[in-house]
Amino acid sequence: MKAFRLDELEAERVANEGAYLQFLRERNMSVGLYALDSGATDPQGPHAQDEVYVVMSGRASITVGQETTEVGRGSVVYVPAGVTHRFHHISEDLRVLVVFSPPES
């Protein structure tokens, strides 16, 4: 078993001075913590892997392909591989668990 605490992951992410911290990598998936502060711009582009976002805290909008929805704590969003997507209109600091399958390369 591997167990993680979000507060410890957030502290590690901050110490590494990055918006993204991958904290688990296995044969069929990887998991990370993604952080975007209020008003930030999400620089990501399409990925070669399927993704699932689980919003742990914050509020924003996300556009996946041509569809846009508002997200907040408890929201879960699936993004197919190769599809353009980004968070925007981030009104509260956003903390998101990201699951990639297969693992992000």
Side-chain angles (χ1 to χ4, degrees):
M1 176 175 76
K2 296 178 182 175
F4 304 91
R5 291 178 44 114
L6 285 175
D7 58 343
E8 292 172 354
L9 294 171
E10 176 67 2
E12 184 178 348
R13 185 197 62 78
V14 169
N16 288 323
E17 299 179 0
Y20 182 72
L21 171 72
Q22 183 183 90
F23 62 88
L24 179 65
R25 184 178 184 86
E26 297 294 335
R27 184 173 52 94
N28 293 315
M29 64 176 231
S30 61
V31 183
L33 178 63
Y34 189 42
L36 292 166
D37 290 337
S38 179
T41 299
D42 184 1
Q44 69 178 322
H47 302 281
Q49 305 81 6
D50 287 342
E51 292 177 82
V52 173
Y53 291 115
V54 180
V55 178
M56 304 308 293
S57 64
R59 298 194 78 57
S61 294
I62 186 170
T63 299
V64 178
Q66 300 299 314
E67 297 179 84
T68 299
T69 192
E70 292 185 17
V71 295
R73 182 176 180 224
S75 297
V76 179
V77 178
Y78 167 69
V79 180
V83 175
T84 300
H85 60 285
R86 69 181 180 90
F87 291 98
H88 52 93
H89 296 98
I90 302 165
S91 60
E92 295 176 18
D93 292 354
L94 196 61
R95 299 300 181 265
V96 182
L97 287 181
V98 185
V99 180
F100 287 100
S101 182
E104 183 182 31
S105 52

